[in-house]
Amino acid sequence: MNTFHLQIVTPDGLMYDGQARKIVVRTAEGDACILSGHADYVTPAAAGQSRVTDENGAEKTAWCQDGLLSVKKGLVRLAADEFEWQGQTERNSEG
């Protein structure tokens, strides 16, 4: 299956930067699914569950809190206010 470059960023830093097969993000109109070859696109992300399928086919689930999802020339970026992988505890504020 084809892949694309995916970046997920939050005010806390880079949460994902690599190849992916698919990302599903909640938007105001419902879930948006991005696959390789998607047309250029931009939409606000809403609070809800997101799923990322990596280049090996492994799926990870995360909570996404608002932001912006964009596709431009094959680069997919999700800039979110908050993004926390399922099972991940909050980061230690001391670094």
Side-chain angles (χ1 to χ4, degrees):
M1 179 178 253
N2 292 335
T3 62
F4 56 89
H5 189 179
L6 172 63
Q7 291 180 331
I8 301 173
V9 297
T10 70
D12 292 330
L14 193 61
M15 303 302 290
Y16 188 95
D17 187 13
Q19 293 298 302
R21 291 184 181 183
K22 174 172 71 173
I23 183 169
V24 178
V25 177
R26 177 74 39 91
T27 72
E29 287 85 33
D31 288 350
C33 177
I34 306 296
L35 302 171
S36 178
H38 199 287
D40 287 356
Y41 176 73
V42 65
T43 189
Q49 186 180 66
S50 295
R51 295 183 312 277
V52 174
T53 304
D54 70 18
E55 63 187 327
N56 299 315
E59 184 176 276
K60 290 178 72 176
T61 303
W63 174 260
C64 179
Q65 180 69 41
D66 302 328
L68 189 69
L69 174 67
S70 69
V71 180
K72 186 168 183 179
K73 297 183 180 179
L75 173 61
V76 180
R77 283 193 182 119
L78 173 59
D81 291 345
E82 293 179 33
F83 193 90
E84 185 174 321
W85 295 110
Q86 182 176 344
Q88 178 182 358
T89 59
E90 289 191 31
R91 295 180 189 185
N92 182 343
S93 62
E94 296 174 358

